[in-house]
């Protein structure tokens, strides 16, 4: 670097010494700006810190009037400093005053400086402030100088993020780095959780950023990149992965990045400015994130996650740390923060310690959400970039009712929530008091209110809620959390426990519904363009009858001497039902022939979740014993909107006339044939939606455990004839109506229904 005193490495080493000195935060900043100015042969070096109110405050300067420190405050849309903060990109100008964004502040005395180099102070891609050097002469800063200043800014990011500047700020003007954040997303699972952040994929903390030996660091970096490339190649060559569509594409993208000269080159350059290999990875990743966070193209933003992941792999290589180690150090009140995760990954945690779940993605009817609900973990999704905005251990409040998340909440928010939690506890007590009250609407119509379940942890809920029965037992959950295929005996044991827990209450077991987003980790996945429309559920069961047969056998044997209710998922044609039913008959014959005990009665039904079945209802109802509407899938297929894709899952409302007419068509036809139909999708689990379902004729609902109380409380107050008289004409509305939600909410409010 031209004229630099000792170059960037010497500067970094000096900065490290200053960081270790036991001085006040202001003294530390003052020393740092002097060091940087001297090292860069600049007359001015200033640090601006982004405050909670969105403005930038001058925190330290060498060269400008010292009296301006803590007095000069500018808006983020003002001046060159504001532009650097906003764009999160360096600005280098030999004649700053000629730039249209230049804004002159008389108190600083900066009119005599012509050249300007400003770099953002970044952490995980978020701007914390701006670092500026200025020179009197018209000079052009070299690429190396810009690089070096960006590296130096990393040290300042550490000081700002540590929170040590907060004490010296006026209330309301604290640095934004550790500011409380109030985010609004999508409520996924009811409940309020107060606790501390646990990152599902913990960031690797880089503790040593300043290099002692540059050639050695370059070698380490090159070595780690080589290992990374080799491991991606190995994964791609892996038999199992080679054919799997999505996974393979991700790996191909990784391979492309891992060979990208620009990426590797930037990291090598960062090492040359004096960083350790891991320091360089972190710096380049932070710059890349900053740029990507400002992109609007969803495809490119998605690539940010790939690059994050790749950078993390490199960091793990370099620091020798493995992922997932936080599992063992879970605090008592953990709030898991993740981009997304599989249901099995959630179940891997010690559930007694989890208070909440915050996801960047997530959708209301995805299986992760269903598992979170089953476990009673409050969850919120659609929290963009939340992973980049929290640190492990940060205080968080998850409001799974309103979809809000408070990060590092102020004391008043925390106490308001503590109050809310007490209030909820009282409400739950009121629900508990309804346990033995029969579910009968105000006008005297009995409603069967069942529970959805799928795991052993669900079973105590039957007693707690006093449920009529289990309306849907998702058998695949046991398969999803296992590390190997559950043997027939293990299946039998689980099914027997379920029947025992239910006592004389009915249980509807659904045969394996795998495929789509329900992936079994130990089963080789096959490449499918559209897994939700692919080889899944009963299709797989009929093509691999061995699997289905052994499950049916386990179910029949578990129900010896009792009633067994069985249902098949994702049936699209009557013929599929007939074939599945035939397997049940054959298994019964087999058991009889071998002298095994038999169930007292076997009822066989079908899930109505593929729209084609709506046009085969006569055939279907003339043969099944009962049916269950899977509204999650039915609505997904009716609207052709992927239930697990947060961009479209909630785009269309099931409370629109179109969807309600389809649901009514089913229940009307069932009544004609005298066949019982339950609605077991998540639709029934929300009181307003349950109100609509009851109004169009549904008398059997199966809901998630946390929804039992709220739905029951609503039903007890419901005047069903009035609700039906209100809703039915709305279904006939001509003209465009996207949703009947406002009308239904108004009806409920007028009737004083608890929602
Ligand atoms: C449904 O589709 O509504 C349903 C109950 O099944 P699952 O959510 O398990 O797909
Ligand atoms: Mg389904």
């Amino acid at each position: 670097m031209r004229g630099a005193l000792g170059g960037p490495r010497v500067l970094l080493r000096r900065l490290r010494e200053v960081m270790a000195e036991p001085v006040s935060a202001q003294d530390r900043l003052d020393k740092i700006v002097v060091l940087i100015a001297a090292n860069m042969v600049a007359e001015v070096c200033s640090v601006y810190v982004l405050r909670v109110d969105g403005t930038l405050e001058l925190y330290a300067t060498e060269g400008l009037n010292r009296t301006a420190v803590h007095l000069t405050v500018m808006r983020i849309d003002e001046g060159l400093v504001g532009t650097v903060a906003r764009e999160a990109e360096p600005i280098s100008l030999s004649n700053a005053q000629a730039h249209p964004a230049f804004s002159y502040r008389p108190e600083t005395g900066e009119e005599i400086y012509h050249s300007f180099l400003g770099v953002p102070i970044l952490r995980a891609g978020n701007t914390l402030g701006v670092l500026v050097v200025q020179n009197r002469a018209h000079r052009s800063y070299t690429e190396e100088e810009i690089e070096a200043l960006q590296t130096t800014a990393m040290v300042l990011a550490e000081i700002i993020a540590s929170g040590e500047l907060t004490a010296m700020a006026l209330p309301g003007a604290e640095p934004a780095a550790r500011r409380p954040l109030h985010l609004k997303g999508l409520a996924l699972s009811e409940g309020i959780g107060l606790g501390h952040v646990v990152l599902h994929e913990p960031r690797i903390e880089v503790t040593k950023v300043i290099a002692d030996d540059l050639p050695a660091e370059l070698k380490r970096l090159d070595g780690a990149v080589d290992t990374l490339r080799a491991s991606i190649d190995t994964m791609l060559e892996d038999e199992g992965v080679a054919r799997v569509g999505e996974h393979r594409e991700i790996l191909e993208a990784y391979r492309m990045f891992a060979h990208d000269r620009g990426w590797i080159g930037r990291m090598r350059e960062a090492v040359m400015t004096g960083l350790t290999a891991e320091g360089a990875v972190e710096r380049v990743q932070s710059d890349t994130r900053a740029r990507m966070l400002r992109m609007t193209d969803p495809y490119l933003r998605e690539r940010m996650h790939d690059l994050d992941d790749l950078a993390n792999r490199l960091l793990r290589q370099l620091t020798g740390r493995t992922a997932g180690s936080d599992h063992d150090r879970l605090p008592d009140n953990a709030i898991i923060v993740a981009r997304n995760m599989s249901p099995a990954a959630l179940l891997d945690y010690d559930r007694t310690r989890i208070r909440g779940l915050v996801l960047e993605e997530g959708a209301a009817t995805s299986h992760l959400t269903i598992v979170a609900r089953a476990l009673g973990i409050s969850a919120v999704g659609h929290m963009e970039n939340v992973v980049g905005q929290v640190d492990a251990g940060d205080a968080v409040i998850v409001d799974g009712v309103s979809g809000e998340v408070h990060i590092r909440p102020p004391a008043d928010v925390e106490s308001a929530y503590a109050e809310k939690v007490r209030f909820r506890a009282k409400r739950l007590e009121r629900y508990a008091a309804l346990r033995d009250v029969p579910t009968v609407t105000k006008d005297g119509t009995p409603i069967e209110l069942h529970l959805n379940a799928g795991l052993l942890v669900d079973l105590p809920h039957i007693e707690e809620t006093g449920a009529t029965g289990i309306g849907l037992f998702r058998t695949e959950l046991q398969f999803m959390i296992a590390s190997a295929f559950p043997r027939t005996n293990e299946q039998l044991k689980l099914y027997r426990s379920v029947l025992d827990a239910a006592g004389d209450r009915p249980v509807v077991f659904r045969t394996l519904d795998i495929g789509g987003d329900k992936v079994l980790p130990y089963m080789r996945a096959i490449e499918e363009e559209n897994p939700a429309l692919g080889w899944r559920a009963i299709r797989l069961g009929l093509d691999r009858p061995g699997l289905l047969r052994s499950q049916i056998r386990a179910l029949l044997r578990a129900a010896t001497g009792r009633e067994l209710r069985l249902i098949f998922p994702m049936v699209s044609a009557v013929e599929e039902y007939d074939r599945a039913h035939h397997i049940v008959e054959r298994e019964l014959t087999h058991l009889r022939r071998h002298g095994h005990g038999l169930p007292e009665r076997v009822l066989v039904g079908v899930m109505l979740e593929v729209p084609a079945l709506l046009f085969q209802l006569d055939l279907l109802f003339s043969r099944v014993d009962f049916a269950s509407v899977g509204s999650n899938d039915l609505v997904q297929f009716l609207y052709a909107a992927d239930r697990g894709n947060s961009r479209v899952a909630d785009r269309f409302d099931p409370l629109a006339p179109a969807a309600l007419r389809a649901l009514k068509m089913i229940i009307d036809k069932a009544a004609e044939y005298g066949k019982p139909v339950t609605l077991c999708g998540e639709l029934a689990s929300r009181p307003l939606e349950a109100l609509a379902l009851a109004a169009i004729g549904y008398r059997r609902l199966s809901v998630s455990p946390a929804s039992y109380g709220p739905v029951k409380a609503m039903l007890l107050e419901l005047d069903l004839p009035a609700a039906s008289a209100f809703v039915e004409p709305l279904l006939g509305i001509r003209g465009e109506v996207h949703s009947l939600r406002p009308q239904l909410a108004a009806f409920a409010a007028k009737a004083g229904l608890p929602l």
Side-chain angles (χ1 to χ4, degrees):
M1 185 191 314
R2 183 168 52 142
L5 301 179
R9 273 169 280 150
V10 173
L11 172 60
L12 281 179
R13 217 159 296 142
R14 290 284 297 122
L15 288 179
R16 184 165 58 181
E17 285 158 22
V18 175
M19 291 292 281
E21 282 177 22
V23 291
S24 72
Q26 185 67 55
D27 284 350
R28 201 186 315 283
L29 282 184
D30 291 345
K31 286 181 175 207
I32 287 175
V33 288
V34 171
L35 276 174
I36 299 174
N39 187 273
M40 305 242 346
V41 198
E43 281 95 25
V44 175
C45 174
S46 315
V47 174
Y48 296 84
V49 174
L50 184 67
R51 312 193 314 191
V52 278
D53 59 2
T55 59
L56 289 150
E57 176 178 331
L58 179 66
Y59 258 66
T61 187
E62 165 68 6
L64 298 185
N65 290 340
R66 291 222 145 217
T67 49
V69 169
H70 297 304
L71 277 182
T72 295
V73 175
M74 34 204 179
R75 297 192 317 268
I76 198 156
D77 58 359
E78 191 187 356
L80 292 169
V81 173
T83 311
V84 174
R86 225 172 40 243
E87 307 287 334
E89 297 254 23
I91 293 184
S92 165
L93 299 166
S94 59
N95 185 7
Q97 293 176 24
H99 193 279
F102 181 80
S103 118
Y104 171 58
R105 286 310 186 91
E107 74 274 16
T108 61
E110 65 179 331
E111 67 277 18
I112 51 174
Y113 303 108
H114 290 104
S115 39
F116 172 103
L117 169 58
V119 299
I121 302 173
L122 295 175
R123 192 156 184 265
N126 300 306
T127 302
L128 308 188
V130 176
L131 173 62
V132 175
V133 291
Q134 288 170 280
N135 280 78
R136 245 179 242 259
H138 290 269
R139 58 169 291 203
S140 302
Y141 298 97
T142 62
E143 277 303 316
E144 292 77 40
E145 284 173 313
I146 301 172
E147 273 290 318
L149 199 64
Q150 282 179 279
T151 291
T152 312
M154 272 180 86
V155 177
L156 287 159
E158 224 176 287
I159 299 181
I160 301 173
S162 74
E164 69 174 312
L165 302 183
T166 306
M168 62 203 241
L170 294 172
E174 297 91 350
R178 309 280 311 149
R179 71 183 183 280
L181 287 177
H182 176 199
L183 308 173
K184 181 93 179 68
L186 177 70
L188 296 177
S189 171
E190 270 236 22
I192 292 170
L194 280 79
H196 294 274
V197 169
V198 170
L199 286 167
H200 177 54
E201 284 163 345
R203 269 196 295 274
I204 311 287
E205 289 295 327
V206 175
T207 44
K208 187 165 186 281
V209 286
I210 301 168
D212 296 322
D213 177 354
L214 278 199
E217 292 303 328
L218 275 182
K219 222 168 133 189
R220 286 181 68 227
L221 179 67
D222 291 344
V225 170
D226 284 346
T227 316
L228 177 73
R229 287 174 179 166
S231 73
I232 295 171
D233 288 345
T234 315
M235 281 190 272
L236 272 164
E237 280 154 22
D238 182 64
E239 250 294 294
V241 169
R243 260 162 283 160
V244 185
E246 195 185 9
H247 195 49
R248 187 179 176 89
E249 273 169 35
I250 292 172
L251 284 176
E252 293 280 13
Y254 282 9
R255 173 144 73 179
M256 200 179 75
F257 288 131
H259 286 268
D260 179 60
R261 292 235 194 93
W263 188 52
I264 314 282
R266 280 196 297 281
M267 289 190 292
R268 295 189 101 242
E269 272 167 28
V271 170
M272 293 309 289
T273 64
L275 292 176
T276 55
E278 48 270 51
V281 176
E282 188 172 83
R283 221 215 74 198
V284 169
Q285 190 50 15
S286 189
D287 292 351
T288 313
R289 282 194 116 244
R291 231 163 295 136
M292 289 188 147
L293 280 171
R294 282 161 183 78
M295 287 180 180
T296 43
D297 183 331
Y299 175 79
L300 288 176
R301 302 209 37 177
E302 194 54 38
R303 299 284 75 77
M304 176 174 94
H305 298 314
D306 295 345
L307 266 173
D308 269 346
D309 196 26
L310 215 55
N312 269 329
R313 280 166 193 258
L314 266 185
L315 288 177
R316 279 202 289 274
Q317 285 277 345
L318 288 163
T319 56
R321 252 167 275 164
T322 50
S325 49
D326 275 16
H327 271 69
D328 317 326
R329 283 179 272 120
L330 216 55
D332 279 343
N333 48 3
I335 307 278
I336 312 285
V337 180
R339 204 166 84 213
N340 208 350
M341 67 205 289
S342 68
L346 177 62
L347 287 159
D348 265 352
Y349 285 98
D350 175 355
R351 304 192 267 288
T352 60
R353 290 169 185 260
I354 304 182
R355 298 285 168 273
L357 180 62
V358 180
L359 301 170
E360 291 192 355
E361 298 173 10
T365 61
S366 76
H367 290 100
L368 173 62
T369 302
I370 287 167
V371 171
R373 280 185 203 143
L375 298 175
I377 297 172
S378 55
V380 174
H382 294 204
M383 291 269 141
E384 209 183 342
N385 190 30
V386 70
V387 174
Q389 302 191 71
V390 297
D391 282 307
D394 277 350
V396 209
I397 298 168
V398 182
D399 185 338
V401 182
S402 67
E404 286 162 287
V405 169
H406 297 267
I407 296 164
R408 300 178 286 269
D412 55 337
V413 172
E414 209 166 317
S415 58
Y417 265 96
E419 181 55 35
K420 234 175 166 167
V421 168
R422 276 193 290 277
F423 181 76
R424 266 185 70 81
K426 282 211 191 94
R427 229 177 58 197
L428 291 179
E429 271 172 34
R430 280 206 300 280
Y431 293 146
L434 298 179
R435 184 186 174 282
D436 298 318
V437 178
T439 311
V440 175
T441 57
K442 213 162 150 189
D443 55 285
T445 314
I447 307 280
E448 281 187 23
L449 198 53
H450 299 261
L451 272 185
N452 290 341
L455 295 166
L456 277 175
V457 288
D458 290 321
L459 300 184
H461 297 308
I462 309 175
E463 270 307 308
E464 277 161 35
T465 55
T468 314
I470 294 184
L472 171 68
F473 191 87
R474 292 181 163 99
T475 58
E476 64 277 3
L477 292 187
Q478 182 198 20
F479 286 70
M480 284 163 73
I481 62 171
S483 49
F485 231 101
R487 293 168 185 283
T488 310
N489 258 346
E490 290 168 283
Q491 295 182 41
L492 189 123
K493 229 168 91 189
L494 172 71
Y495 305 150
R496 214 171 254 156
S497 323
V498 177
L499 289 168
D500 288 345
D504 51 9
R505 289 174 269 215
V507 179
V508 176
F509 287 98
R510 179 174 72 186
T511 61
L512 271 186
D513 185 9
I514 43 178
D517 69 335
K518 298 178 193 172
V519 182
L520 303 188
Y522 42 86
M523 205 166 127
R524 205 162 87 188
I526 40 150
E527 186 174 356
E528 289 193 309
E529 278 289 320
N530 296 299
L533 306 178
W535 195 53
R536 53 174 294 199
I538 196 66
R539 301 170 184 181
L540 200 151
L542 292 174
D543 292 356
R544 291 278 153 83
L547 194 70
L548 185 58
R549 217 180 293 134
S550 75
Q551 186 183 29
I552 289 175
R553 191 171 297 174
L555 284 163
L556 290 170
R557 290 186 50 197
T560 304
R562 311 192 239 204
E563 178 189 270
L564 176 67
R565 298 188 186 197
L566 247 182
I567 199 161
F568 303 116
M570 287 293 296
V571 168
S572 311
V574 170
E575 177 256 355
E576 286 181 325
Y577 170 79
D578 287 343
R579 286 171 59 200
H581 189 239
H582 183 64
I583 296 180
V584 179
E585 293 296 344
R586 274 186 45 184
E587 281 310 307
L588 274 170
T589 311
H590 172 91
L591 291 178
R592 211 174 283 127
R593 195 176 302 145
H594 289 83
H596 288 290
L598 295 177
E600 189 186 272
R601 193 157 80 117
V602 180
L603 299 175
V604 186
V606 69
M607 287 285 287
L608 289 164
E609 43 189 357
V610 177
L613 281 193
L614 266 59
F615 308 97
Q616 306 171 59
L617 290 175
D618 287 296
L619 282 175
L620 206 61
F621 282 128
S622 51
R623 54 189 85 199
V624 299
D625 294 314
F626 67 102
S628 195
V629 179
S631 58
N632 303 334
D633 278 313
L634 184 61
V635 170
Q636 136 166 290
F637 296 129
L638 272 176
Y639 285 123
D642 183 352
R643 62 191 269 191
N645 176 344
S646 50
R647 287 200 194 92
V648 297
D650 303 302
R651 201 177 181 95
F652 307 99
D653 195 342
L655 291 186
L660 288 174
R661 275 181 215 134
L663 292 166
K664 185 161 165 28
M665 185 170 150
I666 296 171
I667 200 72
D668 287 350
K669 192 55 91 177
E672 247 177 64
Y673 284 84
K675 295 289 162 76
V677 169
T678 306
L679 193 136
C680 64
E682 301 304 303
L683 204 56
S685 290
R686 295 188 289 267
L688 188 68
E689 281 81 343
L691 154 63
L693 292 170
I696 62 172
Y698 282 83
R699 298 291 176 264
R700 293 176 176 83
L701 303 176
S702 191
V703 302
S704 59
S707 302
Y708 202 91
V711 171
K712 181 168 181 177
M714 183 283 295
L715 289 170
L716 293 177
E717 298 295 321
L718 182 64
D719 178 345
L720 203 42
S724 300
F726 178 79
V727 172
E728 297 222 351
L730 293 177
L731 296 187
I733 281 184
R734 285 168 196 274
E736 205 265 342
V737 182
H738 190 68
S739 170
L740 295 177
R741 193 170 292 273
Q743 290 90 327
L744 284 162
F747 172 86
K750 198 161 159 221
L753 293 176
L755 289 184

